[in-house]
């Protein structure tokens, strides 16, 4: 059986390793600073638990490795600019947005997006870091060095947030978990609740599967991907994607016959 190398050796990599164990799949989470020669690339499929990484001896080697699954998808999703462009190209609803390239654009931004804008770093933000809520009165908080490096998004007064985790296999087949309702505190995910008897569940599930399915097909993606969305009345707006296993899918470890971690390995190795 093939083995799997995971770029990154944090929690998600360890959970992938744990999922591989009963299947006899050896999973090696690898730290970014690992010596390339010490990593068992031969006979390995390569995946990642993160969407963006600094240049190191290891990541330089990986960036051109043919066994790195979804290698060319990571940079598209890791940059909010190209990620939002993808939604627009596929006509998928998302919060109105634009690149913030120069200070002189502020009046036009407020005209277009309304009085509250969320400014987000194009790359490297997580758990709500690298984000600012901006009005006309605090626009100086966006310092000169940030222009070009951030996008501005309309502030969405959503009812609640949901996500879906799904996987695409090499032959285009897809599998999805039930949509979960996510509760964040200070930008950090605290609870994910799935209730398949929830009245909106069925319509949200159908829509979410079709949207994430369209994205994964377009990218010819293989493996698990997550999509976060805002629910506003009967509208659903995509917030962002994660090209990997996701914290809103951790419940599948105990709640499903096949967890998101096992599903990712099955898709990568083309197992049933
Ligand atoms: P995480 O790593 O937790 O997924 P993140 O730092 O990648 O977060 P986002 O998911 O874009 O960033 O934003 C974090 C949270 O901020 C969202 O889950 C949501 O609660 C809030 N938020 C983001 N964008 C908007 C918006 N346009 N309008 C209102 N709230 C927003
Ligand atoms: Mg998020």
């Amino acid at each position: 059986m093939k083995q799997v190398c995971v770029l990154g050796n944090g929690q998600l990599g360890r959970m992938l390793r744990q999922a591989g164990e009963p299947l006899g799949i050896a999973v090696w989470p690898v730290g970014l600073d690992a010596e390339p020669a010490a990593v068992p690339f031969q006979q390995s499929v390569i995946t990642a638990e993160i969407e963006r990484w600094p240049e190191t001896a290891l990541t330089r080697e990986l960036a051109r490795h043919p066994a790195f699954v979804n290698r060319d998808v990571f940079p598209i999703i890791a940059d909010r600019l190209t990620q939002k462009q993808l939604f627009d190209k596929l006509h998928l609803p998302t919060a109105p947005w634009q690149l913030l390239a120069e200070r002189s654009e502020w009046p036009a931004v407020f005209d277009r997006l309304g009085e509250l804008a969320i400014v987000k770093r194009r790359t490297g933000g997580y758990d709500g870091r690298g984000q600012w809520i901006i009005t006309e009165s605090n626009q100086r908080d966006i310092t000169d060095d940030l222009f070009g490096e951030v996008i501005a998004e309309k502030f969405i007064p959503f009812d609640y947030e949901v996500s879906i985790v799904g996987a695409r296999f090499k032959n285009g087949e897809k599998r999805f978990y039930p949509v979960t309702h996510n509760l964040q505190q200070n930008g950090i995910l605290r609870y994910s609740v799935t209730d398949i008897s929830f009245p909106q569940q069925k319509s949200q599930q159908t829509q979410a599967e079709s949207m994430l399915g369209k994205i994964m097909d377009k990218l010819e993606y293989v493996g698990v991907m997550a999509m976060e969305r805002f629910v506003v009345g009967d509208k659903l707006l995509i917030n962002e994607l994660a090209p990997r296993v996701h914290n809103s899918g951790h419940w599948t470890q105990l709640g499903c016959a096949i967890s998101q971690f096992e599903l990712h390995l099955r898709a990568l190795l083309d197992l049933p």
Side-chain angles (χ1 to χ4, degrees):
M1 176 150 304
K2 282 214 166 179
Q3 51 184 26
V4 176
C5 287
V6 185
L7 181 59
N9 57 356
Q11 183 192 49
L12 299 176
R14 295 201 300 273
M15 288 174 171
L16 284 166
R17 185 172 63 194
Q18 185 185 31
E21 195 70 25
L23 301 177
I25 302 169
V27 178
W28 306 100
V30 182
L32 300 177
D33 292 324
E35 191 53 54
V39 176
F41 289 127
Q42 267 59 33
Q43 307 295 312
S44 283
V45 168
I46 304 163
T47 187
E49 61 154 20
I50 44 177
E51 49 266 47
R52 186 174 165 268
W53 39 82
E55 273 223 6
T56 64
L58 178 76
T59 61
R60 260 193 302 278
E61 181 115 346
L62 283 184
R64 52 187 171 75
H65 204 292
F68 193 178
V69 182
N70 306 316
R71 188 189 60 188
D72 303 326
V73 174
F74 288 102
I76 300 173
I77 296 184
D79 184 341
R80 288 189 192 271
L81 175 70
T82 47
Q83 191 183 138
K84 285 285 219 180
Q85 284 168 340
L86 175 68
F87 302 149
D88 291 351
K89 205 181 315 165
L90 295 175
H91 305 289
L92 296 172
T94 186
W97 68 282
Q98 66 172 80
L99 176 69
L100 196 58
E102 294 177 31
R103 189 172 293 284
S104 62
E105 292 171 337
W106 273 125
V109 169
F110 291 119
D111 273 353
R112 214 175 131 238
L113 303 181
E115 57 190 16
L116 266 187
I118 298 216
V119 173
K120 299 181 177 181
R121 261 190 197 284
R122 285 172 54 181
T123 57
Y126 66 98
D127 285 348
R129 279 181 247 184
Q131 294 195 14
W132 299 261
I133 298 184
I134 299 295
T135 61
E136 283 185 25
S137 58
N138 70 345
Q139 42 176 279
R140 287 273 147 199
D141 289 0
I142 304 305
T143 47
D144 288 337
D145 54 309
L146 289 172
F147 289 93
E149 302 299 320
V150 290
I151 64 163
E153 225 178 79
K154 185 180 174 69
F155 182 89
I156 306 295
F158 53 76
D159 302 329
Y160 55 96
E161 294 182 80
V162 295
S163 64
I164 187 167
V165 175
R168 182 177 178 276
F169 285 69
K170 276 198 190 82
N171 64 3
E173 248 185 87
K174 293 165 206 84
R175 295 285 185 275
F176 297 94
Y177 293 106
V179 165
T180 62
H181 183 168
N182 297 324
L183 301 148
Q184 316 252 356
Q185 271 177 345
N186 303 322
I188 293 177
L189 181 64
R190 294 294 182 195
Y191 298 95
S192 282
V193 180
T194 295
D195 178 359
I196 54 169
S197 68
F198 181 57
Q200 281 85 39
Q201 183 79 18
K202 204 162 172 221
S203 67
Q204 286 185 2
Q205 186 75 27
T206 312
Q207 272 193 58
E209 290 188 6
S210 131
M211 290 159 93
L212 181 54
K214 214 168 154 182
I215 291 167
M216 292 195 293
D217 281 340
K218 172 79 181 174
L219 299 170
E220 293 183 40
Y221 186 82
V222 174
V224 164
M225 186 183 284
M227 179 177 76
E228 302 178 0
R229 291 183 316 157
F230 301 137
V231 180
V232 199
D234 55 6
K235 276 208 302 228
L236 292 155
L237 300 176
I238 302 180
N239 173 29
E240 61 166 357
L241 301 172
R244 52 173 166 79
V245 289
H246 192 250
N247 53 2
S248 74
H250 286 350
W251 66 272
T252 63
Q253 286 178 310
L254 295 173
C256 295
I258 292 181
S259 73
Q260 63 166 346
F261 303 96
E262 183 174 338
L263 188 64
H264 187 59
L265 296 178
R266 284 179 179 274
L268 289 179
L269 298 176
D270 218 11
L271 298 173

